[in-house]
Amino acid sequence: MSSIFGKIPVGAIMAASVVMLILLGLLNLFLGSVIIPPEDVWHILTGKTQLDDQVKQLIVLQYRLPQAVTAIFAGAGLAVAGLLMQTLFRNPLADPSILGISSGSSLGVALLLLFSGTNTGLFLSESGWIGQTGLIMSALTGAFFVLIIISWLSRIMSDMVSLLIAGIMISYITGSLVGITKYFSQKEDLQAFVLWGLGSFSNVGQARLPFFAIAVALGLLLSVFLVKPLNLLLLGERYAANLGVNVKRTQFFILIISGVLTAVITAYTGPVAFIGLAVPHLARNLLGESSHRILLPAVMILGASLALACNLIARLPGFEGSLPVNAVTSLIGAPVVVWFLIRRKHLYSNGK
Amino acid sequence: MKEPALKLTQLEIGHQQKAGRKIVLLPPINITLTEASLVALAGINGAGKTTFLKTITGLHQPISGDIELFGFQPNKLSRSELAKMVSIVLTDIADDFYLRTEDVVAMGRYPHLGFWGKLKTADKTIVEDAMYKCGIAHLIGRRLISLSDGERQKTFIAKAIAQDTPLIVLDEPSAFLDYPGKLELMTLLRNLVREQQKTILFSSHDLDLLMRFADQLWLISPSKPIISGSPELLASSGKIGEYFNRNKLAFNSITGKFQSENSSAQSVFVDRNVTHYYWVVNALNRNGFALSKHDTVGFHVSDQDGNYKLTMADKQYICADIDELIHQILKQC
């Protein structure tokens, strides 16, 4: 087994990716818009803190650490959801948002902002922690509402292409509902909605982190059970069925796992674009592999790394506060993906 | 006495629709497939060949009737048990960029593997062996998308061999191949039957190919019961004509070819002894002449020292080659 780099074995690339992931994780703790000396960060992390370090301690433990952990789980989860969608629909353009699940969470958030603003006079944008929890709960509700419709459609529709188109239609419907809702919303809440829509890994926070991490980890774990059927689906449904796969049931599981991952992550971080679409392509290119036994762990590592890298860039020293994650993911990632796709044309010619 | 690999009893295939409505494609099917034989399922486009094959491989539910696969009913077997009995080769194209030929062949081992689908040494040997048998050992490491249609077809046949099932079912395996590719494919299938004792059932409407390679033909038609027999028997008894003929086109049981049925065409009798008899007939058909069984018709072609002697009414011409002969006949019309 060798990769796009020729003789470099897949194992070596995977090992290098893990090292990169750890490095990026540490950088996320050591670097930020507030400059904290590395030895102080180290002391805080190892628990050797003095009293006058409380602010720094707060920044590292309450802000940077949960943000890094959020980025790791969100990146890994979105990348896996994207890989599952691409294999399910046998379509390289599929990504976690394609079935309208993330626009479902947008609708949930938009509706919440509309009703809290106009009916109770309470602006969520100004109500802190309770406001954040409210946002997440409504985003989750919206996403799961769409997921339930999609899974119902998957039972009554005969083929995956129809389902894909139905999902895109649902995106349009929820999109226009979001538009209508925004039209009637207050200005302050509109801004809160725009901010949520740009995505951020800092919304999860220490208190909500355990639920978020456990939910995503569960999705990642369950995806591992699909390795064999996912590989066989690469040959198409009929070959997969002949090789012992219960195609309908597998497709349903893929849908549910990637749907839950997308719903949870979007609810907590906002609709983070690009990672779910791009990371599977990067992983396939980098490793020259199609087997999900290798691709699944690879997209988890690469997705987490990419999210960490973008998070790092988004709050580099010098930027006031932090840049929206969505802007960074696409700006940095898109050229990289195009470059990789240009490189793969050799697969046609000599096929190696 | 060979055992039946497949026994179909009063099988109705088709599509079950809502509210109990059903579309039955063929009259009830009663037929058995003998082990270690190469059998072709033939019928015109749209006759139901693909649905037939999907039904007997458990990918499609029959409307009624019985299927017995080596004595078992497919719908009572588990998916993995069924996967070890019958393998399929389709014309579906897997378009993943990174699949390698050996990955595809290795997928044939999946029903035999554990949770991760990781190949053991024995499985790797089986995969390599299957690729070698199909003449694609040199394609190891190549991506599926870089293969020609013929190479891809052989890759999927190797997958079926790696799957190690006694029955292999192929849907239109010759569809996208060039002529030498078709012959190569059929030779490979025949060798698998002779050397590995595989039972192979394939669908095709490529009659010329079937006549040359199949041990048995199964002819299907929406209006007639399925029949089976050797290609020669079905051709000479005119059955192929019955199942395949359409307007203005008929199967000629002398030449084994389809010809435009043109009642106003001039008939020509050609003596069997002429040089290149086959090509003379070909040239005549191509130019719109019908072949006659009786030498009492207007044109009569016979041999004269390696040249062609054309006799009509009381005139005679000697022609050196086929082109000259055709030219002369056309001139006389």
Side-chain angles (χ1 to χ4, degrees), chain B residues 48 81 93 127 186 194 267-268 292-293 301 304 319:
Chain B
E81 282 170 328
I93 289 173
V127 169
M186 296 313 300
R194 303 281 183 272
S267 289
V268 180
S292 172
K293 290 179 186 175
V301 181
Q304 171 103 35
C319 308

Side-chain angles (χ1 to χ4, degrees), chain A residues 85-283:
Chain A
M85 287 285 115
Q86 287 174 9
T87 301
L88 176 67
F89 293 115
R90 298 176 74 201
N91 186 331
L93 290 176
D95 77 347
S97 69
I98 202 152
L99 291 179
I101 289 165
S102 41
S103 56
S105 22
S106 298
L107 181 62
V109 170
L111 283 174
L112 176 75
L113 291 172
L114 173 73
F115 285 117
S116 65
T118 54
N119 292 349
T120 66
L122 178 77
F123 296 123
L124 275 159
S125 41
E126 290 158 12
S127 49
W129 194 87
I130 297 170
Q132 278 300 339
T133 308
L135 279 184
I136 289 167
M137 291 319 289
S138 55
L140 266 183
T141 311
F144 275 102
F145 179 67
V146 172
L147 181 58
I148 287 166
I149 295 177
I150 288 286
S151 44
W152 170 71
L153 283 176
S154 80
R155 303 233 133 194
I156 60 170
M157 282 187 153
S158 55
D159 62 302
M160 286 291 111
V161 178
S162 307
L163 183 65
L164 184 63
I165 296 169
I168 295 170
M169 292 306 118
I170 290 175
S171 295
Y172 278 116
I173 295 169
T174 43
S176 71
L177 290 177
V178 167
I180 295 168
T181 314
K182 274 155 76 178
Y183 182 77
F184 291 109
S185 289
Q186 307 293 315
K187 207 165 69 181
E188 292 83 348
D189 284 330
L190 260 186
Q191 199 189 350
F193 180 76
V194 169
L195 277 177
W196 177 82
L198 289 171
S200 166
F201 295 135
S202 59
N203 296 338
V204 177
Q206 217 175 17
R208 287 182 288 256
L209 195 57
F211 172 79
F212 173 77
I214 288 170
V216 175
L218 202 66
L220 296 179
L221 194 72
L222 287 176
S223 71
V224 166
F225 285 90
L226 294 173
V227 162
K228 253 175 89 173
L230 281 169
N231 283 344
L232 293 175
L233 281 177
L234 291 178
L235 297 185
E237 291 176 20
R238 290 205 280 165
Y239 277 122
N242 176 248
L243 288 161
V245 177
N246 184 336
V247 173
K248 274 268 164 209
R249 202 170 64 189
T250 303
Q251 286 171 334
F252 187 73
F253 280 147
I254 294 175
L255 213 57
I256 295 298
I257 291 173
S258 70
V260 169
L261 281 173
T262 311
V264 170
I265 295 167
T266 309
Y268 280 82
T269 67
V272 174
F274 189 76
I275 289 180
L277 173 69
V279 170
H281 288 292
L282 291 178

